[in-house]
Amino acid sequence: MKLLDTPSHRPALNFERPSWLVTCSLKRREPFGTVSSQARYELAATNEEEARSAVRNFVQQAHPRCVIESIRVARQNLAQPA
């Protein structure tokens, strides 16, 4: 997964994809019970569904024993230099 790199000295260009903050609630079963956790990912994607899908695929590959309980997606505003 590639994180969006926007140095403060470089203005955002019109062709750059927007940045999204995706928060996942994860659960996994362990011998002693169920473990819940949250993970946050910031990434560039064309739209909300692309961001959601990218994180879903990443979590399935990186944490195969985890089940995604919920996903929240919020668009990040890129700060414009003064």
Side-chain angles (χ1 to χ4, degrees):
M1 178 174 303
K2 183 176 180 181
L3 297 177
L4 180 65
D5 179 24
T6 53
S8 60
H9 65 275
R10 185 181 65 124
L13 302 174
N14 290 335
F15 59 84
E16 288 184 3
R17 298 189 301 176
S19 174
W20 300 87
L21 180 63
V22 182
T23 305
C24 300
S25 294
L26 306 172
K27 277 194 173 181
R28 76 175 183 274
R29 290 199 176 260
E30 295 290 343
F32 53 84
T34 303
V35 176
S36 297
S37 61
Q38 278 200 338
R40 296 176 70 174
Y41 304 95
E42 184 175 342
L43 66 145
T46 304
N47 56 43
E48 180 178 337
E49 187 53 41
E50 183 181 313
R52 184 183 309 270
S53 179
V55 169
R56 188 179 299 121
N57 291 338
F58 176 77
V59 169
Q60 287 173 348
Q61 290 177 7
H63 308 285
R65 293 178 35 209
C66 288
V67 174
I68 298 174
E69 192 170 54
S70 68
I71 296 179
R72 289 187 311 269
V73 181
R75 186 172 178 163
Q76 299 294 295
N77 293 325
L78 296 175
Q80 296 295 326

